[in-house]
Amino acid sequence: MTSDPQARGAGPARPGEPLAIVGLAELDPDGLDDLVVDVARFGIPPLQARSMNRMQLLMLEAARRCLADAGHPGRPLPAERTDVVTGLCFALDRQHANAVRVELPWYARELERAATAVGATPDEAAGAAAELRGLLAPRLGGSPHDRVGEMASTVPARIAAAFKLHGRTLAVESAEATSFVALAHAADQLRAETADAVLVLAGQRRESPFVAGALGAKGLYDPRPGDGPGAADPRAPAAPGTPGRTGTGPYLDASPDRPVGEGVGAVLLKRLSTAVRDGDRVYATVLDCALRHEPRPGCFRHTYSAGLRQETAAASLRAAGAGPDTVQYVECAGSSVPREAAAEREALARLHAGRAEGSVVLGAGDGRAFAHAGLASLARVARALHERRYPAPRPGAGPLPGPPFRRARAGEEWAAPGGAPRRAVVHGASLTGTFCHLVLEEHLVLEEHRRRAPAVPRSRPRGGARGVPVAVVGLGGRFAGAPDAAAFWRVVRSGRTRLGPVPRSVLDRELYHSPGVLSLTHAYTDQGGHVPVPVEPPEDLAVLPPRYAAMDGAQRLALAVAAELFAGVPRRAPLAGRGVVAVGTTLGLTRERRAHAELVLSGLEDTVAALPALAGLSSLRRKKLVERLRERTARATAEPSPALLDGCLASGVAALLANEYGLCAVPLAVEAACASSLAALDVAVAALRAGTADFAVAGGVELACTARDMVLCSALGLLSHSRNAPFDAAADGFTPGDGCGLFLLKRYDDARRDGDTVHGVIRAVGASNDAKSLIAPDIAGQVRAMQRAFAQVDFEPCTVDYLEAHGTGTKVGDRVEIAAAARLYAGGPRAGALRIGSAKSFFGHTFAAAGSAGLLRTLLALRAGTLPPNALLRTLNPALDLAAIPAEIATRPEPWPRPPGRPRRAAVSSFGTGGINYHVLVEEDPDRHGHTTGAIKEKGHGPR
């Protein structure tokens, strides 16, 4: 993701339209725990407030302050086309609390067994277990809304609902590059005119001491006694408190030598032309946001390449229409790891060689702030440009790179460089291997000082610009009963579901299964679409066993699917140019949540020994009990190693693919609830259309068949009591499923030039947010996403043959989805009934991977010329008004006739918790079957 105009296939060398920063807000990092947020102001019901993660509240307040800073509500905000993108890294407090709550019954059972083994009576042993549960349960909370409240994507969704914003809604993570990635995506959408404003927020808190230990094991931080694995904080998470103080609180103090900084902030971005038209106060303009990735197999580590940094910075300045000699201020938001800092100094010395002594002021950001690092630096520099004073110097800065550089004096005025605009750059880097570069410039109101960039073409993820088509040139998948894409299609053609009882290793029925009972502690079903986690890496990868053992299950599954995706592609230089790897997944991986829970539970030994129920045991027997309990609860957790942190990064899924397969592609994780896969596809398509990437990998992965997910989803009554049966009269909810689907993408013309096999063509991605309920589906919101998709193409809904529906199997969800489809797909000269289906009837609801399952099924159906069937459909729900479209839902495969004069066409929908809606339009390769590509090409503007 770089806007280097000389990148392969990126179009002519000219700057894109500058982006205006029209609103800023930064919360005091020292007051994040004490800040009281009035939840009533945001219309949040008390029951939901109890389940909210603390970051939701902090970002809501940051969003409010940022919009107020921009003049909202007095100044008009294009709410219909305002996106909300949040950057987050590591698991959130509510995720940690839920993980401990679900693990607690297991630990209490082991306590009871250990007590019995050392001579406690049955009553003493059972009493001790009950006392421990009673002691901790109030501190861990417990609400039907916990599954919703813990999700990272509910943060932007809650903001969209609070301020009635109807654009796209997603959360991203890319280690320390997180907020840079969020800004780059915002730039792509604004310049493509698929959004008129983007509210970008980033936040980082110290949620668990486990992260400190993992950072120390990687050599990024030398932990003090008491930090990290093996030296746990003995306290269990505190209970979510009163409204405005929701969350479990930090585990680490605010000492400056702690490894993770804290902060929450927000910026509101518009195209400069829009901001000038609206009369906005402009802090500064963003001329370019460039990201470059250095793929290096093995444990994640920062890029030490001075050459990569110099080349990226130079290319970014060229894309901005500027040279290094026009920059007066450089801010480095890196981690200050010695080798990384040395590479940074060398790159700066090369880039600014020959400049006058003291002509460049060098400042330092806080790379320890991870997700917040880039946005904090952006806000700091933007304010400085607006106030015309250099940013205040930060303490502890390292040595200067050479004579051109100096430090700013406190309060130093930023003199104008001979009448030209003041200009600054921000550097950043992530431990996954990405380097980031921002170019900022002051906004001069006088006409003679405005930028002289060529005008960006206007259109006729107003519904959106008609962009170039994107070809799917590779695909892979692994779902229940289907180890690869070929097996996936065989399962679909068979018409038989692969849902069934999950293994005992997944759901301990003694602890967690209670059929027919709605509770906060048990699942009322044991059905799922289970996929075994791979136990060995793909044969073509040289991954060491300790590193593989430290990986999260989702990372292992994605690596296995990537082996299928890249089969036949050269090993070390598979793809030319620069790319992006966007993978939809939960931003709090199981690996980190479980490690934190084990850390907390292992710190309860003193509490256990002092339980009143065990008072009758001698001190020696209590000591033996603790030892026996330690033996029984010691799980196969990897010892601290450099790979430990890698298994906790959601973006580590994408980074593994980029690094192990040698892709110069920026990795990021995307969460948009159950629409995460299609949100990741939207990120990838936007980068390809903008010319900031030449290839992309997109898709999703999640292991939803876990005790945690089954218990939390049962508490809200979301799961089926039997099995997933979309559109059936007896449908009563969804069944969880595991899975991963990945797709290799290129611009269509590039794929034809390269002789690639084209499995299908992505014509449009439409996105919206209901801005209403976080849980209830909304017809208007879904229709809005569909309309925005069709605004990008030159054909009508009546020419779409097949709709791969979200199809969860909930009565309300199915009814709303069909009603929304009827609003768009009814009417017109339809050649035949619209066929509708859902992959969930075969493989279950795979959450973040759900959209990838639907897209994979659709692409395989296009390739086979076969309309796919549905499983488990016995009696069609009479509340579904299919005749209004008209539409049919088939239970057996049928031939898919090709309409005269055009390719087969399909649509794929995904709708997520939080009112998140995505709709994708797909065609078969028109060139493959002799159809002209003129209709595709004539409407696309092409990359700039």
Side-chain angles (χ1 to χ4, degrees), residues 281-339:
R281 180 265 322 278
V282 177
Y283 281 101
T285 59
V286 179
L287 305 186
D288 190 65
C289 181
L291 306 174
R292 285 281 303 276
H293 187 76
E294 181 189 41
R296 289 170 36 161
C299 291
F300 298 156
R301 55 203 182 278
H302 293 86
T303 173
Y304 304 140
S305 171
L308 175 73
R309 294 163 185 268
Q310 179 188 2
E311 292 166 10
T312 304
S316 179
L317 286 164
R318 285 198 304 271
D325 58 335
T326 68
V327 174
Q328 301 95 46
Y329 179 80
V330 176
E331 172 141 316
C332 298
S335 67
S336 297
V337 173
R339 285 187 64 188

Coordinates of all heavy atoms in Angstrom, one line a residue, residues 281-339:
R281 N -12.4 24.5 9.1 CA -11.1 24.9 9.6 C -10.1 23.7 9.3 O -10.4 22.6 9.7 CB -11.1 25.2 11.1 CG -9.8 25.5 11.7 CD -9.1 24.4 12.4 NE -9.9 23.4 13.0 CZ -10.4 23.6 14.2 NH1 -10.1 24.6 15.0 NH2 -11.2 22.7 14.7
V282 N -9.1 23.9 8.6 CA -8.1 22.8 8.2 C -6.9 22.9 9.0 O -6.1 23.9 8.9 CB -7.8 22.9 6.7 CG1 -6.8 21.8 6.3 CG2 -9.1 22.7 5.9
Y283 N -6.6 21.9 9.8 CA -5.4 21.9 10.6 C -4.1 21.7 9.7 O -3.1 22.4 9.9 CB -5.4 20.7 11.6 CG -6.2 21.0 12.8 CD1 -7.5 20.5 13.0 CD2 -5.7 21.8 13.9 CE1 -8.2 20.7 14.1 CE2 -6.4 22.0 15.0 CZ -7.7 21.5 15.1 OH -8.4 21.7 16.3
A284 N -4.2 20.8 8.8 CA -3.1 20.5 7.9 C -3.7 19.6 6.8 O -4.8 19.1 6.9 CB -2.0 19.8 8.6
T285 N -2.9 19.4 5.8 CA -3.3 18.4 4.7 C -2.3 17.2 4.7 O -1.1 17.4 4.9 CB -3.3 19.1 3.3 OG1 -2.0 19.6 3.0 CG2 -4.3 20.2 3.3
V286 N -2.9 16.1 4.4 CA -2.1 14.9 4.2 C -1.9 14.7 2.7 O -2.9 14.5 1.9 CB -2.8 13.6 4.8 CG1 -1.9 12.4 4.5 CG2 -3.1 13.8 6.3
L287 N -0.7 14.8 2.2 CA -0.4 14.7 0.8 C -0.2 13.3 0.4 O -0.4 12.9 -0.8 CB 0.9 15.5 0.4 CG 0.9 17.0 0.8 CD1 2.1 17.7 0.3 CD2 -0.4 17.7 0.3
D288 N 0.3 12.4 1.3 CA 0.6 11.0 0.9 C 0.7 10.2 2.2 O 1.1 10.7 3.2 CB 1.9 10.9 0.1 CG 2.0 9.5 -0.5 OD1 1.2 9.2 -1.4 OD2 2.9 8.8 -0.1
C289 N 0.3 8.9 2.0 CA 0.4 7.9 3.1 C 0.9 6.7 2.4 O 0.2 6.0 1.7 CB -0.9 7.7 3.8 SG -0.8 6.5 5.1
A290 N 2.2 6.4 2.6 CA 2.8 5.2 1.9 C 3.2 4.2 2.9 O 3.7 4.4 4.0 CB 4.1 5.7 1.2
L291 N 3.0 2.9 2.5 CA 3.3 1.8 3.3 C 4.1 0.8 2.5 O 3.7 0.5 1.3 CB 2.1 1.1 3.9 CG 1.1 1.9 4.6 CD1 -0.2 1.1 4.9 CD2 1.7 2.4 5.9
R292 N 5.2 0.3 3.0 CA 6.1 -0.7 2.3 C 6.4 -1.8 3.3 O 6.7 -1.6 4.5 CB 7.4 0.0 1.8 CG 7.2 0.9 0.6 CD 7.1 0.1 -0.7 NE 8.2 -0.8 -0.9 CZ 9.4 -0.4 -1.4 NH1 9.6 0.8 -1.8 NH2 10.4 -1.3 -1.5
H293 N 6.4 -3.0 2.8 CA 6.7 -4.2 3.6 C 7.9 -4.9 3.2 O 8.1 -5.1 2.0 CB 5.5 -5.1 3.6 CG 5.6 -6.2 4.6 ND1 5.4 -6.1 5.9 CD2 5.9 -7.6 4.4 CE1 5.5 -7.2 6.5 NE2 5.8 -8.1 5.7
E294 N 8.7 -5.3 4.1 CA 9.9 -6.1 3.9 C 9.6 -7.6 4.3 O 9.6 -7.8 5.5 CB 11.1 -5.6 4.6 CG 12.4 -6.5 4.3 CD 13.6 -6.1 5.1 OE1 13.4 -5.8 6.3 OE2 14.7 -6.1 4.6
P295 N 9.4 -8.5 3.4 CA 9.1 -9.9 3.8 C 10.3 -10.6 4.3 O 11.3 -10.8 3.6 CB 8.5 -10.5 2.6 CG 9.2 -9.8 1.5 CD 9.4 -8.4 1.9
R296 N 10.3 -11.1 5.6 CA 11.4 -11.9 6.1 C 10.8 -13.0 6.9 O 10.0 -12.8 7.8 CB 12.2 -11.0 7.0 CG 13.0 -10.0 6.3 CD 13.7 -8.9 7.1 NE 14.2 -9.4 8.4 CZ 15.1 -8.7 9.1 NH1 15.6 -7.6 8.6 NH2 15.5 -9.1 10.3
P297 N 11.1 -14.3 6.5 CA 10.6 -15.4 7.2 C 11.1 -15.5 8.6 O 12.2 -14.9 8.9 CB 11.0 -16.6 6.3 CG 12.2 -16.1 5.5 CD 11.9 -14.6 5.3
G298 N 10.4 -16.2 9.4 CA 10.9 -16.4 10.8 C 10.1 -15.5 11.7 O 9.1 -14.9 11.3
C299 N 10.6 -15.4 13.0 CA 9.9 -14.6 14.0 C 9.7 -13.1 13.5 O 10.6 -12.6 12.8 CB 10.6 -14.6 15.3 SG 10.6 -16.2 16.1
F300 N 8.6 -12.5 13.8 CA 8.4 -11.1 13.4 C 9.4 -10.2 14.1 O 9.8 -10.3 15.2 CB 7.0 -10.6 13.9 CG 5.9 -11.4 13.3 CD1 4.6 -11.5 13.9 CD2 6.0 -12.1 12.0 CE1 3.6 -12.2 13.3 CE2 5.0 -12.8 11.5 CZ 3.8 -12.8 12.1
R301 N 9.9 -9.3 13.3 CA 10.8 -8.3 13.8 C 10.8 -7.1 12.9 O 10.5 -7.2 11.7 CB 12.3 -8.8 13.9 CG 12.8 -9.4 12.6 CD 13.9 -10.4 13.0 NE 14.6 -11.0 11.8 CZ 14.1 -12.0 11.1 NH1 12.9 -12.5 11.5 NH2 14.7 -12.5 10.1
H302 N 11.2 -5.9 13.4 CA 11.2 -4.7 12.7 C 12.2 -4.8 11.5 O 13.2 -5.5 11.6 CB 11.6 -3.5 13.6 CG 10.6 -3.2 14.6 ND1 10.6 -3.8 15.8 CD2 9.6 -2.3 14.7 CE1 9.6 -3.3 16.6 NE2 9.0 -2.4 15.9
T303 N 11.9 -4.0 10.4 CA 12.8 -4.0 9.3 C 14.0 -3.2 9.7 O 13.9 -2.1 10.3 CB 12.1 -3.4 8.1 OG1 13.1 -3.2 7.1 CG2 11.4 -2.0 8.4
Y304 N 15.1 -3.7 9.4 CA 16.4 -3.0 9.7 C 17.0 -2.4 8.4 O 18.2 -2.0 8.4 CB 17.4 -3.9 10.4 CG 16.9 -4.5 11.7 CD1 17.2 -5.9 12.0 CD2 16.1 -3.8 12.6 CE1 16.7 -6.4 13.1 CE2 15.6 -4.4 13.7 CZ 15.9 -5.7 14.0 OH 15.4 -6.3 15.2
S305 N 16.2 -2.4 7.4 CA 16.7 -2.0 6.1 C 16.7 -0.4 5.9 O 15.6 0.2 5.9 CB 15.9 -2.6 4.9 OG 16.2 -2.0 3.7
A306 N 17.8 0.2 5.9 CA 17.9 1.6 5.7 C 17.4 1.9 4.2 O 16.8 3.0 4.0 CB 19.3 2.2 5.9
G307 N 17.8 1.0 3.3 CA 17.4 1.2 1.9 C 15.9 1.3 1.7 O 15.4 2.1 1.0
L308 N 15.2 0.3 2.3 CA 13.7 0.3 2.2 C 13.1 1.6 2.7 O 12.3 2.2 2.1 CB 13.1 -0.8 3.0 CG 11.6 -0.9 3.1 CD1 11.1 -1.3 1.7 CD2 11.1 -1.8 4.2
R309 N 13.6 2.1 3.9 CA 13.1 3.3 4.5 C 13.4 4.5 3.5 O 12.5 5.4 3.3 CB 13.8 3.6 5.8 CG 13.4 2.5 6.9 CD 14.3 2.5 8.1 NE 14.0 1.5 9.0 CZ 13.1 1.6 10.0 NH1 12.6 2.8 10.2 NH2 12.9 0.6 10.8
Q310 N 14.6 4.6 3.0 CA 15.0 5.7 2.1 C 14.1 5.7 0.9 O 13.6 6.7 0.4 CB 16.5 5.7 1.8 CG 16.9 6.8 0.9 CD 18.3 6.6 0.4 OE1 19.0 5.6 0.7 NE2 18.8 7.6 -0.4
E311 N 14.0 4.5 0.2 CA 13.3 4.4 -1.0 C 11.8 4.7 -0.8 O 11.2 5.4 -1.6 CB 13.4 3.0 -1.5 CG 14.8 2.6 -2.0 CD 15.0 1.1 -2.2 OE1 13.9 0.4 -2.2 OE2 16.1 0.7 -2.4
T312 N 11.2 4.3 0.3 CA 9.8 4.5 0.5 C 9.6 6.0 0.8 O 8.6 6.6 0.3 CB 9.3 3.7 1.8 OG1 9.6 2.3 1.5 CG2 7.8 3.9 2.0
A313 N 10.4 6.6 1.6 CA 10.3 8.0 1.9 C 10.4 8.9 0.6 O 9.6 9.8 0.4 CB 11.3 8.5 2.9
A314 N 11.4 8.5 -0.2 CA 11.6 9.3 -1.5 C 10.4 9.1 -2.4 O 10.0 10.1 -3.0 CB 12.9 8.8 -2.1
A315 N 9.9 7.9 -2.5 CA 8.8 7.6 -3.4 C 7.5 8.4 -2.9 O 6.7 8.9 -3.7 CB 8.5 6.1 -3.5
S316 N 7.4 8.4 -1.6 CA 6.2 9.0 -1.0 C 6.3 10.5 -1.2 O 5.2 11.2 -1.6 CB 6.2 8.8 0.5 OG 5.1 9.4 1.2
L317 N 7.4 11.1 -1.1 CA 7.6 12.6 -1.4 C 7.3 12.8 -2.9 O 6.7 13.9 -3.3 CB 9.0 13.0 -1.0 CG 9.1 13.2 0.5 CD1 10.6 13.3 0.9 CD2 8.4 14.4 1.1
R318 N 7.8 11.9 -3.8 CA 7.5 12.1 -5.2 C 6.0 12.1 -5.5 O 5.5 12.9 -6.2 CB 8.2 11.0 -6.0 CG 9.7 11.2 -6.2 CD 10.2 10.4 -7.4 NE 9.8 9.0 -7.2 CZ 10.6 8.0 -6.6 NH1 11.7 8.4 -6.1 NH2 10.2 6.8 -6.6
A319 N 5.3 11.1 -4.8 CA 3.9 11.0 -5.0 C 3.2 12.3 -4.5 O 2.1 12.6 -5.0 CB 3.4 9.8 -4.3
A320 N 3.8 12.9 -3.5 CA 3.2 14.2 -3.0 C 3.5 15.4 -3.8 O 3.1 16.5 -3.5 CB 3.6 14.3 -1.5
G321 N 4.4 15.2 -4.8 CA 4.8 16.3 -5.6 C 5.8 17.2 -4.9 O 5.9 18.4 -5.0
A322 N 6.6 16.6 -4.0 CA 7.6 17.3 -3.2 C 8.9 16.6 -3.2 O 9.0 15.5 -3.6 CB 7.1 17.5 -1.7
G323 N 10.0 17.3 -2.7 CA 11.3 16.8 -2.6 C 11.7 16.8 -1.2 O 11.2 17.5 -0.4
P324 N 12.8 16.0 -0.8 CA 13.2 16.0 0.5 C 13.7 17.4 1.0 O 13.6 17.7 2.2 CB 14.4 15.0 0.5 CG 14.1 14.1 -0.7 CD 13.4 15.0 -1.7
D325 N 14.2 18.2 0.1 CA 14.7 19.5 0.5 C 13.5 20.5 0.9 O 13.8 21.6 1.3 CB 15.5 20.2 -0.6 CG 14.7 20.3 -1.9 OD1 13.7 19.5 -2.1 OD2 15.1 21.2 -2.7
T326 N 12.3 20.1 0.7 CA 11.1 20.9 1.1 C 10.6 20.6 2.5 O 9.6 21.2 2.9 CB 10.0 20.8 0.1 OG1 9.4 19.5 0.1 CG2 10.5 21.1 -1.4
V327 N 11.2 19.6 3.1 CA 10.7 19.2 4.4 C 11.5 19.9 5.5 O 12.7 19.9 5.5 CB 10.9 17.6 4.6 CG1 10.6 17.2 6.0 CG2 10.1 16.9 3.5
Q328 N 10.8 20.5 6.5 CA 11.5 21.1 7.6 C 11.4 20.4 8.9 O 12.2 20.6 9.8 CB 10.8 22.5 7.8 CG 10.8 23.5 6.7 CD 9.6 23.4 5.9 OE1 8.5 23.4 6.4 NE2 9.7 23.3 4.5
Y329 N 10.5 19.4 9.0 CA 10.4 18.6 10.2 C 10.1 17.2 9.9 O 9.3 16.8 9.0 CB 9.2 19.2 11.0 CG 9.0 18.5 12.3 CD1 9.7 18.7 13.5 CD2 8.0 17.5 12.5 CE1 9.5 18.1 14.7 CE2 7.8 16.8 13.6 CZ 8.5 17.1 14.7 OH 8.4 16.4 15.9
V330 N 10.8 16.3 10.7 CA 10.6 14.8 10.6 C 10.3 14.3 12.0 O 11.0 14.6 12.9 CB 11.9 14.2 10.0 CG1 11.8 12.7 10.0 CG2 12.3 14.7 8.7
E331 N 9.2 13.5 12.0 CA 8.9 12.9 13.3 C 9.0 11.4 13.1 O 8.4 10.8 12.2 CB 7.5 13.2 13.8 CG 7.1 12.4 15.0 CD 6.3 13.2 16.0 OE1 6.7 14.3 16.3 OE2 5.3 12.7 16.5
C332 N 9.8 10.7 14.0 CA 10.0 9.3 13.9 C 9.1 8.6 15.0 O 9.4 8.9 16.2 CB 11.4 8.9 14.1 SG 12.5 9.6 12.8
A333 N 8.1 7.8 14.6 CA 7.2 7.2 15.6 C 7.6 5.7 15.8 O 6.8 4.9 16.0 CB 5.8 7.3 15.1
G334 N 8.9 5.4 15.6 CA 9.4 4.0 15.7 C 9.5 3.6 17.1 O 9.1 4.3 18.1
S335 N 10.0 2.3 17.3 CA 10.0 1.7 18.6 C 11.2 2.0 19.4 O 11.3 1.7 20.6 CB 9.9 0.2 18.4 OG 11.1 -0.3 17.8
S336 N 12.2 2.6 18.8 CA 13.5 2.9 19.4 C 14.3 1.6 19.7 O 15.2 1.6 20.6 CB 13.4 3.7 20.7 OG 12.8 5.0 20.3
V337 N 14.0 0.5 19.1 CA 14.8 -0.7 19.2 C 16.2 -0.3 18.6 O 16.2 0.3 17.5 CB 14.2 -1.9 18.4 CG1 15.2 -3.0 18.4 CG2 12.9 -2.3 19.1
P338 N 17.3 -0.6 19.2 CA 18.6 0.0 18.7 C 18.9 -0.3 17.2 O 19.2 0.7 16.5 CB 19.6 -0.8 19.6 CG 18.9 -1.0 20.9 CD 17.5 -1.3 20.5
R339 N 18.7 -1.5 16.7 CA 19.0 -1.7 15.3 C 18.0 -1.0 14.4 O 18.4 -0.5 13.4 CB 18.9 -3.2 15.0 CG 20.1 -4.0 15.5 CD 20.1 -5.4 15.0 NE 20.3 -5.5 13.6 CZ 20.1 -6.6 12.9 NH1 19.9 -7.8 13.5 NH2 20.2 -6.6 11.6

